[in-house]
Amino acid sequence: LSATTQHRATRVEALRRASGQGTIVVSPSLAKANLCCLGEEVKAVVDAGAEWLHLSVQDGRMVPKISFGTPLVAAVRKVVPEEIILDVKLSVVEPEHRLRDFVEAGADILSVHPEATLQLPAVINAIDAAGCATGAVLNPGTSVSTIEPILDRLDVIVVMLVNPGWGGPKYLETALDKIKTLRALCAKRGLHPWIEVDGGISSKNAPALLQAGANALVAGGSVFTADDKRAAIGALKGGTAPPRVPA
Ligand SMILES: O=C(CO)[C@@H](O)[C@H](O)COP(=O)(O)O
């Protein structure tokens, strides 16, 4: 295995081990960083305790905006410490055609929208086969039943509080219901994926989301606009961690 592949295998293995152990991670969303000094912004949040970095890749079709692609992912991979997880959300149509590029760019988690492909199980299998952690994104209007058939193959489930790329209202209650439903379903099957919440996450709504069973917090504005990023990350984590799952 190349060093790159080995390093990713180590990160993904650590990610899978840590899920369900009561760990809470914060994944600052680079969409809200100052892209003119991205290297400094990334260093600041990593130094402030971020374990993951969230990269929302948007193609202007799956969501109305176009954000960035593999060059930015590869650039970030080059400058972050080896243990930092690149949490890539592919808000793109037909992600099956993009996987290899993002694997080679250095993604560790690849999350896709169920609506974006006609071949969701195959896409999830391909992400896993490439050595990445698998993820599925539930927009506010996407039900848990959409991913139930592949639930046992998901490392990460992203529960959106907003419709990505649109901003607009935050669907907190919908997200809380989904998280509780997911945790109950996973408990029945002995599964403990990361449940990541994304869209307007702050120290105000994080406690309820963590209490419901979320354990990964995407945070854009709440971290990148903070003068004290370490305090901002600590405030997000201040909620109650989900119950430990017996090993
Ligand atoms: O993908 C998206 C937006 O489409 C999110 O990841 C946001 O970038 C999160 O930023 P905040 O809502 O936390 O400021």
Side-chain angles (χ1 to χ4, degrees):
L1 286 178
S2 72
T4 306
T5 308
Q6 187 51 56
H7 290 157
R8 178 186 4 254
T10 305
R11 286 192 296 269
V12 170
E13 190 190 326
L15 174 148
R16 287 173 172 159
R17 252 200 329 271
S19 180
Q21 298 307 308
T23 308
I24 298 172
V25 297
V26 170
S27 188
S29 177
L30 300 193
K32 298 295 178 71
N34 177 352
L35 297 184
C36 292
C37 49
L38 185 58
E40 291 150 53
E41 294 271 83
V42 162
K43 183 176 185 320
V45 294
V46 167
D47 290 350
E51 298 93 345
W52 298 7
L53 293 173
H54 187 77
L55 296 102
S56 288
V57 176
Q58 302 176 333
D59 66 356
R61 292 182 62 207
M62 183 65 216
V63 297
K65 288 181 180 165
I66 293 175
S67 60
F68 45 73
T70 53
L72 189 136
V73 176
V76 171
R77 180 80 273 164
K78 282 198 179 77
V79 298
V80 295
E82 212 172 270
E83 70 276 9
I84 297 298
I85 294 278
L86 295 195
D87 166 26
V88 176
K89 184 174 70 215
L90 290 178
S91 293
V92 302
V93 298
E94 297 182 347
E96 54 271 27
H97 301 309
R98 307 278 171 231
L99 298 181
R100 175 174 301 281
D101 293 348
F102 282 93
V103 170
E104 287 172 4
D108 294 304
I109 299 169
L110 282 173
S111 298
V112 298
H113 294 256
E115 303 90 339
T117 176
L118 297 174
Q119 314 166 42
L120 182 62
V123 169
I124 296 299
N125 290 344
I127 293 170
D128 182 47
C132 287
T134 60
V137 184
L138 298 180
N139 281 348
T142 310
S143 70
V144 166
S145 61
T146 315
I147 59 169
E148 196 166 345
I150 56 161
L151 198 57
D152 59 340
R153 283 181 269 164
L154 294 175
D155 295 303
V156 182
I157 301 160
V158 184
V159 177
M160 296 298 301
L161 274 70
V162 296
N163 285 300
W166 289 94
K170 291 177 183 48
Y171 296 89
L172 175 61
E173 291 311 316
T174 305
L176 290 171
D177 290 345
K178 273 185 198 172
I179 296 164
K180 290 170 190 166
T181 303
L182 281 166
R183 280 298 178 211
L185 208 46
C186 290
K188 261 193 235 153
R189 302 185 190 183
L191 304 171
H192 40 88
W194 290 94
I195 295 184
E196 181 176 67
V197 285
D198 182 0
I201 305 304
S202 71
S203 55
K204 291 182 181 54
N205 58 25
L209 292 159
L210 292 170
Q211 187 62 38
N215 53 357
L217 306 171
V218 173
S222 60
V223 168
F224 282 108
T225 61
D227 294 331
D228 183 339
K229 292 179 171 46
R230 180 167 291 278
I233 289 174
L236 287 167
K237 290 185 172 186
T240 314
R244 283 176 69 85
V245 172

